[in-house]
Protein backbone atom coordinates (compact mmCIF):
# COMPACT_ATOMS: atom_id res chain seq x y z
CA UNK A 1 0.00 0.00 0.00
CA UNK A 2 0.93 3.60 -0.45
CA UNK A 3 1.66 5.87 2.49
CA UNK A 4 -1.06 8.41 3.24
CA UNK A 5 -0.86 11.70 1.37
CA UNK A 6 0.24 14.72 3.37
CA UNK A 7 -2.58 17.04 4.36
CA UNK A 8 -3.42 19.71 1.81
CA UNK A 9 -2.69 23.20 3.02
CA UNK A 10 -5.29 25.85 2.31
CA UNK A 11 -4.40 28.22 -0.49
CA UNK A 12 -3.92 31.77 0.80
CA UNK A 13 -6.49 34.19 -0.53
CA UNK A 14 -5.27 36.27 -3.43
CA UNK A 15 -6.24 39.80 -4.14
CA UNK A 16 -7.62 40.42 -7.58
CA UNK A 17 -5.04 41.51 -10.11
CA UNK A 18 -5.22 45.15 -11.03
CA UNK A 19 -6.76 45.60 -14.45
CA UNK A 20 -4.25 45.55 -17.23
CA UNK A 21 -4.20 48.94 -18.90
CA UNK A 22 -5.32 48.66 -22.48
CA UNK A 23 -2.70 49.16 -25.13
CA UNK A 24 -2.65 52.69 -26.46
CA UNK A 25 -4.89 51.63 -29.29
CA UNK A 26 -6.36 48.36 -30.46
CA UNK A 27 -6.86 48.40 -34.21
CA UNK A 28 -9.55 45.87 -34.85
CA UNK A 29 -12.60 46.69 -36.91
CA UNK A 30 -14.43 49.58 -35.29
CA UNK A 31 -11.25 51.42 -34.32
CA UNK A 32 -10.30 51.92 -37.97
CA UNK A 33 -11.69 54.97 -39.74
CA UNK A 34 -13.42 55.20 -43.07
CA UNK A 35 -11.92 57.65 -45.56
CA UNK A 36 -14.61 60.33 -44.97
CA UNK A 37 -14.10 60.11 -41.17
CA UNK A 38 -10.34 60.43 -41.58
CA UNK A 39 -10.74 63.38 -43.96
CA UNK A 40 -13.04 65.14 -41.47
CA UNK A 41 -10.70 64.56 -38.51
CA UNK A 42 -7.71 65.87 -40.44
CA UNK A 43 -9.64 68.86 -41.84
CA UNK A 44 -10.97 69.76 -38.39
CA UNK A 45 -7.49 69.56 -36.87
CA UNK A 46 -8.51 66.66 -34.60
CA UNK A 47 -5.77 64.44 -36.04
CA UNK A 48 -2.84 64.42 -38.43
CA UNK A 49 -3.05 62.30 -41.57
CA UNK A 50 0.22 60.38 -42.00
CA UNK A 51 0.83 58.72 -45.37
CA UNK A 52 3.10 55.71 -44.84
CA UNK A 53 3.53 54.72 -48.50
CA UNK A 54 6.87 54.83 -50.27
CA UNK A 55 8.17 57.95 -52.05
CA UNK A 56 7.01 57.00 -55.57
CA UNK A 57 3.49 56.25 -54.32
CA UNK A 58 3.38 59.56 -52.42
CA UNK A 59 4.61 61.49 -55.47
CA UNK A 60 1.93 59.93 -57.70
CA UNK A 61 -0.87 61.14 -55.43
CA UNK A 62 -1.71 61.78 -51.79
CA UNK A 63 -4.30 63.47 -49.62
CA UNK A 64 -3.81 67.25 -49.45
CA UNK A 65 -2.36 68.27 -46.10
CA UNK A 66 -1.07 64.78 -45.28
CA UNK A 67 2.40 64.32 -43.85
CA UNK A 68 4.71 61.68 -45.29
CA UNK A 69 6.78 59.07 -43.48
CA UNK A 70 7.19 55.69 -45.21
CA UNK A 71 6.48 52.63 -43.08
CA UNK A 72 9.97 51.34 -43.88
CA UNK A 73 11.48 54.38 -42.14
CA UNK A 74 8.99 54.20 -39.27
CA UNK A 75 9.94 50.55 -38.70
CA UNK A 76 13.61 51.58 -38.72
CA UNK A 77 12.90 53.90 -35.78
CA UNK A 78 12.34 57.24 -37.51
CA UNK A 79 10.54 59.84 -35.42
CA UNK A 80 7.26 61.35 -36.49
CA UNK A 81 7.46 64.59 -38.45
CA UNK A 82 7.48 67.56 -36.07
CA UNK A 83 3.97 68.63 -37.16
CA UNK A 84 2.57 65.26 -36.00
CA UNK A 85 4.16 65.13 -32.55
CA UNK A 86 1.75 65.29 -29.64
CA UNK A 87 -1.31 64.86 -31.88
CA UNK A 88 -3.51 61.89 -32.71
CA UNK A 89 -2.33 60.22 -35.92
CA UNK A 90 -4.41 58.64 -38.67
CA UNK A 91 -2.15 56.51 -40.85
CA UNK A 92 -2.98 55.84 -44.50
CA UNK A 93 -1.43 53.70 -47.24
CA UNK A 94 -2.70 52.33 -50.56
CA UNK A 95 -5.01 49.56 -49.29
CA UNK A 96 -4.98 49.68 -45.51
CA UNK A 97 -2.48 46.95 -44.64
CA UNK A 98 0.67 49.02 -44.12
CA UNK A 99 -1.28 51.79 -42.39
CA UNK A 100 -2.70 49.31 -39.90
CA UNK A 101 0.82 48.07 -39.19
CA UNK A 102 2.01 51.67 -38.80
CA UNK A 103 -0.83 52.51 -36.40
CA UNK A 104 -0.04 49.46 -34.27
CA UNK A 105 3.65 50.40 -34.23
CA UNK A 106 2.84 53.99 -33.22
CA UNK A 107 0.41 52.80 -30.54
CA UNK A 108 3.24 50.65 -29.18
CA UNK A 109 5.26 53.87 -28.85
CA UNK A 110 2.44 55.43 -26.82
CA UNK A 111 1.04 57.54 -29.65
CA UNK A 112 -2.71 57.74 -30.17
CA UNK A 113 -3.05 56.21 -33.62
CA UNK A 114 -5.53 54.60 -35.94
CA UNK A 115 -5.69 54.13 -39.69
CA UNK A 116 -7.88 54.42 -42.77
CA UNK A 117 -9.65 51.19 -43.68
CA UNK A 118 -9.22 50.65 -47.42
CA UNK A 119 -6.41 53.24 -47.64
CA UNK A 120 -6.00 55.75 -50.43
CA UNK A 121 -7.78 53.43 -52.86
CA UNK A 122 -10.98 53.77 -50.80
CA UNK A 123 -10.22 57.49 -50.29
CA UNK A 124 -10.17 58.12 -54.05
CA UNK A 125 -13.18 55.84 -54.63
CA UNK A 126 -15.18 58.05 -52.25
CA UNK A 127 -14.25 61.11 -54.32
CA UNK A 128 -12.02 62.68 -51.67
CA UNK A 129 -9.24 64.97 -52.93
CA UNK A 130 -5.95 63.56 -54.20
CA UNK A 131 -3.07 65.81 -55.17
CA UNK A 132 0.08 64.90 -57.10
CA UNK A 133 3.71 65.73 -56.50
CA UNK A 134 3.49 68.74 -58.84
CA UNK A 135 0.45 70.09 -57.02
CA UNK A 136 -2.04 69.01 -59.69
CA UNK A 137 -4.50 66.15 -59.54
CA UNK A 138 -2.88 62.93 -58.42
CA UNK A 139 -3.44 59.21 -58.90
CA UNK A 140 -3.19 56.35 -56.44
CA UNK A 141 -0.22 54.13 -57.26
Amino acid sequence: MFPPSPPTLPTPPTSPSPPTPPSSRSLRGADRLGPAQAHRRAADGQAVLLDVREEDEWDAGHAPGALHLPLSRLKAGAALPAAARGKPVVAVCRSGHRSQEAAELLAGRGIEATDVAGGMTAWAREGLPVTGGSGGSGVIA
Side-chain angles (χ1 to χ4, degrees):
M1 279 246 174
F2 294 105
S5 299
T8 304
L9 297 174
T11 305
T14 58
S15 61
S17 313
T20 304
S23 64
S24 296
R25 198 79 172 130
S26 168
L27 297 170
R28 301 291 177 252
D31 290 331
R32 302 181 81 193
L33 300 178
Q37 292 171 297
H39 183 258
R40 253 189 323 276
R41 285 196 186 178
D44 293 346
Q46 296 174 19
V48 172
L49 191 62
L50 181 69
D51 194 317
V52 297
R53 296 175 299 150
E54 294 301 320
E55 196 74 35
D56 58 329
E57 296 172 287
W58 165 265
D59 287 342
H62 55 270
L67 301 176
H68 184 226
L69 178 61
L71 177 62
S72 58
R73 291 191 42 225
L74 195 59
K75 287 168 86 173
L80 283 175
R85 293 182 195 144
K87 297 178 182 172
V89 172
V90 177
V92 66
C93 66
R94 183 181 52 81
S95 65
H97 177 76
R98 286 175 288 176
S99 61
Q100 188 171 21
E101 187 177 346
E104 290 171 349
L105 190 151
L106 291 169
R109 293 183 187 178
I111 296 165
E112 184 181 340
T114 190
D115 79 308
V116 179
M120 287 299 296
T121 301
W123 181 283
R125 192 177 324 120
E126 290 191 17
L128 295 169
V130 177
T131 187
S134 60
S137 184
V139 296
I140 305 308

